[in-house]
Amino acid sequence: MAYQSLYRKYRPQRFSDVVGQEPITKAIGSQVTNDRLAHAYLFTGTRGTGKTTVAKILARAVNCSNVLEDGSPCGECDICRGISDGTLMNVIEIDAASNNGVDDVRTIIEEISYRPQSGKKKVYIIDEVHNLSLSAFNALLKTIEEPPDYALFILATTELGKVPITIRSRCQRYDFHRMTVDTIVHRMKKILSAEGIEADDKALGFIAVQADGSMRDALSLLDRCLAFNSGEELTYERTLDILGAVDVSVFSSFMKIISEGDLKGAIKLLDDVLMRGREIQIFVVDLISYMRNLLLISAGGRNGADISDVLGVSPDTYEDMKAVAAKFDVETLTRYIGIFSELTSEIRYSTQKRVLTEIAIVRLMQPKMQEDVASTRQRLAIIERKLDRIEREGIKTPAGSDKDSGHPDKPAKKAPLPEALPEDVKLVCDNWGRIVKNSQDMNKGILAEAQPSVRGNDLVIVCRDDVSAGSLKRSSDDLEAVLARETKKQIRFEIYGPEKGEDPEATFPDLRSMINFDEIKIVD
Ligand SMILES: [Zn+2]
């Protein structure tokens, strides 16, 4: 038999087997037994917290002909078996990461009109739902608003902020929390005893910390350890070897070097760690948790209180950590943790992990370096340039009629069209699909995905992403011509993309019009 990962092999089949999410499984289980189900659920939370697992159990439970006391599927009736072995098509799983277009959603909608042949419900599990395109979300919205009584939607996402509020408000939402180290260790012990494998607590504790709240990550790390350990007892040292991690004594040396301000020594230590084949990401994460322990000792342990049990370290290690902690004050340690926490997100997808880590080490050593000065200066320079230009050229509105572009398609110059009234703009919004379809605009695809709305006399166009918005802005003359041809009016419009770092909700047109920023725009 082919090897099955621990995560799959031990995937819970009942609500009561799901660990770490008891309030959620209890609530949903009782909805099943009392037949008070919502028609759409939204499961949110970081990866590996059990969203898909609970979705699968729920999908079987609503169909099972012999539901257990806690609302779980029996796992034995014809329906449960049919769903498990794939002969019954009551549960449809869609991965929105690879099926994100409007056509994919349309396929679902067309298919939903057929009742399930056996079982009670047709369940659609849409995983990573935030990947759907705007038009796909809109298509889905209509179905979720008025689904047939036999349909149930379960949407799962790791990025709630990217799910439109219109979808969110129509779902019953459950937030899946990160798993605690204890929960993860407990679960791993159970699995290992079922597998007949011994492991020491320190090894499991280490794996659980590495997994950072994700059961899936913990079990895949455990998979890796077991694969390299050929049935022997899994020790802490072996785990460090296999996972490319370093022992706590290395962090102790590192912090001593830092306290002496020895930059060269710190860089050399990093080099040694990497030369021994250790993973830089793991090193950084472990260093943060070591610093956090120092901080706890420094903040709470000074008055003689022994917190070694809280930290889960041996008495020897604890004595050493106390000596290291005494070299720093609470503020400094807090600042260090801040710098390295930033680093973890920076290096996650970077190819320059080592350089970024070295820069972070330099920052540790330079307390006076103000992190924001560079970016503040840069922003100031941009504002000054813009002000200069306003002084020189005055303020222009985008697509203003005084612009002399000489575009062949531009009727505004030849014979000025009357300015559009709100009704005109609304008409454009109502007929957006048709207008876009008829246009020869090379940005047709972008326009089709964009969200038009009325703000005063203006048309506001919110694009799916910044790149689309940029492309549309660059050829705004074309769009102007299309709108003029269509309405015989001069329609002013503004183009937005979901700005980086901003909550996507803020870019939705209704919120935009309430805030009313970007009133003055400079034409590039
Ligand atoms: Zn059943």
Side-chain angles (χ1 to χ4, degrees):
M1 200 182 128
Y3 179 75
Q4 207 182 5
S5 71
L6 293 174
Y7 188 68
R8 280 177 187 281
K9 189 171 172 187
Y10 291 95
R11 181 166 232 157
Q13 303 298 319
R14 295 177 180 180
F15 287 129
S16 52
D17 295 339
V18 179
V19 293
Q21 310 295 356
E22 282 76 11
I24 296 177
T25 49
K26 266 206 175 127
I28 293 179
S30 90
Q31 288 187 3
V32 175
T33 44
N34 297 319
D35 202 14
R36 304 184 75 97
L37 293 158
H39 59 257
Y41 291 86
L42 178 59
F43 293 170
T44 75
T46 50
R47 48 186 260 111
T49 47
K51 301 184 294 294
T52 319
T53 299
V54 173
K56 281 172 192 270
I57 298 174
L58 175 59
R60 275 184 287 122
V62 297
N63 278 299
C64 174
S65 43
N66 200 8
V67 175
L68 304 179
E69 214 166 287
D70 70 343
S72 297
C74 72
E76 283 158 9
C77 68
D78 290 346
I79 305 272
C80 280
R81 284 194 188 164
I83 293 173
S84 292
D85 62 25
T87 49
L88 271 187
M89 298 304 288
N90 290 46
V91 181
I92 297 113
E93 289 183 49
I94 301 136
D95 180 9
S98 43
N99 307 288
N100 58 2
V102 67
D103 291 337
D104 298 306
V105 172
R106 288 224 176 95
T107 314
I108 300 176
I109 295 165
E110 278 160 22
E111 207 255 357
I112 208 169
S113 48
Y114 305 105
R115 274 185 176 278
Q117 293 187 331
S118 48
K120 291 170 243 170
K121 299 247 181 199
K122 239 180 186 174
V123 186
Y124 292 88
I125 300 176
I126 308 182
D127 210 1
E128 301 297 340
V129 69
H130 59 269
N131 288 301
L132 290 185
S133 67
L134 203 58
S135 44
F137 267 128
N138 284 338
L140 180 65
L141 185 62
K142 289 193 192 107
T143 313
I144 288 191
E145 269 174 333
E146 286 169 25
D149 56 356
Y150 53 81
L152 176 70
F153 282 90
I154 308 174
L155 316 179
T157 180
T158 46
E159 294 183 56
L160 181 63
K162 289 188 183 162
V163 179
I165 196 136
T166 43
I167 295 275
R168 285 192 229 168
S169 61
R170 280 163 184 83
C171 298
Q172 200 173 97
R173 183 174 131 197
Y174 289 96
D175 299 338
F176 284 64
H177 295 293
R178 297 150 61 91
M179 309 263 175
T180 64
V181 168
D182 278 350
T183 305
I184 294 176
V185 168
H186 193 245
R187 177 89 184 133
M188 286 194 292
K189 277 188 178 167
K190 251 188 152 171
I191 289 176
L192 285 173
S193 86
E195 292 278 309
I197 295 168
E198 304 262 322
D200 70 26
D201 285 0
K202 206 173 164 191
L204 296 183
F206 180 78
I207 292 173
V209 170
Q210 296 296 322
D212 195 23
S214 162
M215 188 66 85
R216 181 163 59 220
D217 287 359
L219 296 186
S220 81
L221 288 173
L222 188 59
D223 260 331
R224 240 166 91 190
C225 292
L226 298 184
F228 283 97
N229 213 38
S230 58
E232 289 160 47
E233 184 185 349
L234 185 64
T235 61
Y236 175 61
E237 285 71 26
R238 232 0 232 144
T239 307
L240 291 184
D241 272 347
I242 295 167
L243 298 182
V246 296
D247 183 65
V248 69
S249 65
V250 175
F251 301 120
S252 154
S253 313
F254 182 82
M255 292 308 286
K256 280 175 195 159
I257 292 171
I258 294 287
S259 73
E260 288 155 10
D262 177 7
L263 179 60
K264 205 173 145 195
I267 300 289
K268 187 171 177 311
L269 185 141
L270 179 67
D271 189 51
D272 286 347
V273 167
L274 300 181
M275 288 299 280
R276 277 187 286 147
R278 299 321 199 194
E279 298 272 346
I280 200 157
Q281 250 163 301
I282 296 180
F283 174 77
V284 171
V285 170
D286 290 352
L287 182 58
I288 293 174
S289 85
Y290 183 81
M291 287 177 182
R292 168 255 187 196
N293 287 352
L294 293 187
L295 181 67
L296 290 180
I297 294 172
S298 191
R302 279 266 168 78
N303 47 10
D306 186 339
I307 56 167
S308 58
D309 53 335
V310 179
L311 305 183
V313 296
S314 70
D316 285 351
T317 308
Y318 186 66
E319 282 310 310
D320 184 62
M321 284 172 96
K322 256 170 49 180
V324 179
K327 296 177 188 292
F328 302 95
D329 57 32
V330 171
E331 286 73 30
T332 307
L333 286 170
T334 311
R335 194 173 67 83
Y336 286 1
I337 291 170
I339 290 172
F340 269 74
S341 300
E342 261 175 50
L343 179 64
T344 50
S345 50
E346 281 171 16
I347 60 176
R348 185 162 295 162
Y349 303 109
S350 171
T351 50
Q352 303 290 335
K353 297 184 198 312
R354 182 176 181 153
V355 176
L356 290 172
T357 308
E358 287 171 347
I359 292 172
I361 293 174
V362 171
R363 284 176 64 197
L364 291 188
M365 304 256 183
Q366 293 186 334
K368 287 188 191 71
M369 195 157 103
Q370 285 296 319
E371 308 158 35
D372 266 332
V373 170
S375 61
T376 310
R377 236 183 237 152
Q378 206 181 352
R379 285 207 296 269
L380 204 59
I382 292 171
I383 294 170
E384 279 173 351
R385 273 207 300 280
K386 286 192 173 182
L387 276 176
D388 270 356
R389 201 155 71 192
I390 290 176
E391 269 179 13
R392 267 201 326 272
E393 306 171 4
I395 295 168
K396 293 178 188 172
T397 50
S401 57
D402 56 344
K403 214 166 68 184
D404 194 0
S405 73
H407 195 281
D409 235 13
K410 206 180 155 219
K413 193 70 193 170
K414 288 179 236 156
L417 292 169
E419 288 228 4
L421 298 169
E423 310 72 282
D424 301 318
V425 183
K426 188 169 178 300
L427 216 59
V428 171
C429 294
D430 291 346
N431 295 292
W432 188 250
R434 186 182 54 76
I435 294 174
V436 171
K437 215 171 147 203
N438 290 343
S439 85
Q440 302 298 316
D441 198 318
M442 61 177 199
N443 286 316
K444 224 168 164 170
I446 295 175
L447 289 170
E449 293 242 293
Q451 189 91 298
S453 66
V454 188
R455 187 213 292 163
N457 289 332
D458 295 3
L459 173 65
V460 174
I461 301 169
V462 178
C463 293
R464 168 95 178 134
D465 51 51
D466 292 332
V467 180
S468 306
S471 164
L472 210 52
K473 275 181 193 165
R474 277 193 295 283
S475 55
S476 61
D477 285 344
D478 294 344
L479 180 58
E480 202 185 332
V482 168
L483 294 174
R485 214 175 21 241
E486 199 56 51
T487 60
K488 307 281 177 280
K489 296 272 169 66
Q490 186 200 326
I491 302 216
R492 280 182 312 187
F493 54 86
E494 290 173 35
I495 298 162
Y496 298 102
E499 269 113 328
K500 264 201 181 129
E502 211 176 84
D503 185 340
E505 263 176 55
T507 63
F508 274 78
D510 48 340
L511 281 179
R512 280 264 174 200
S513 57
M514 277 191 282
I515 301 165
N516 215 16
F517 50 80
D518 269 13
E519 197 61 272
I520 299 168
K521 289 214 72 177
I522 299 162
V523 178
D524 278 310

